[in-house]
Amino acid sequence: MRGDRVEIVIDAGNEVRAYDIVATRNGRRVEVETGRGLVTVTEVTRSGNPVRTARFMASRVLALVEHPAADSRATADSEAANRLT
């Protein structure tokens, strides 16, 4: 879904670097795969075609945080509850 985001923090020798992969359009999502010493983060379309791909060595990844897109219905419910209190 648009708004899906994966944040990757890697060890780059003498420094730490952070990367964000974001689903930029409606219907796109971000998928994470791990295997054979690699972490692959891909933005894909509804039909499964990859749009952007980022690959990182698994031994260098310090943190990988997935931020799912906010559900608009859940957001509306929480906003309504905040207005009542």
Side-chain angles (χ1 to χ4, degrees):
M1 289 176 77
R2 181 178 181 185
D4 278 355
R5 182 169 67 101
V6 175
E7 185 178 353
I8 304 104
V9 179
I10 64 162
D11 176 18
N14 294 331
E15 62 182 336
V16 176
R17 293 186 184 174
Y19 296 92
D20 283 334
I21 306 295
V22 181
T24 55
R25 294 190 178 181
N26 289 337
R28 292 189 180 170
R29 64 187 183 279
V30 179
E31 295 181 348
V32 178
E33 297 177 17
T34 57
R36 293 191 175 198
L38 288 177
V39 175
T40 305
V41 182
T42 308
E43 179 184 359
V44 296
T45 61
R46 287 183 180 134
S47 60
N49 296 328
V51 177
R52 292 187 295 162
T53 301
R55 291 186 180 96
F56 305 95
M57 291 175 44
S59 61
R60 296 286 187 174
V61 174
L62 300 175
L64 188 138
V65 182
E66 296 183 49
H67 301 279
D71 183 13
S72 60
R73 183 177 174 202
T75 304
D77 290 345
S78 65
E79 288 176 0
N82 288 338
R83 279 184 255 147
L84 294 175
T85 58

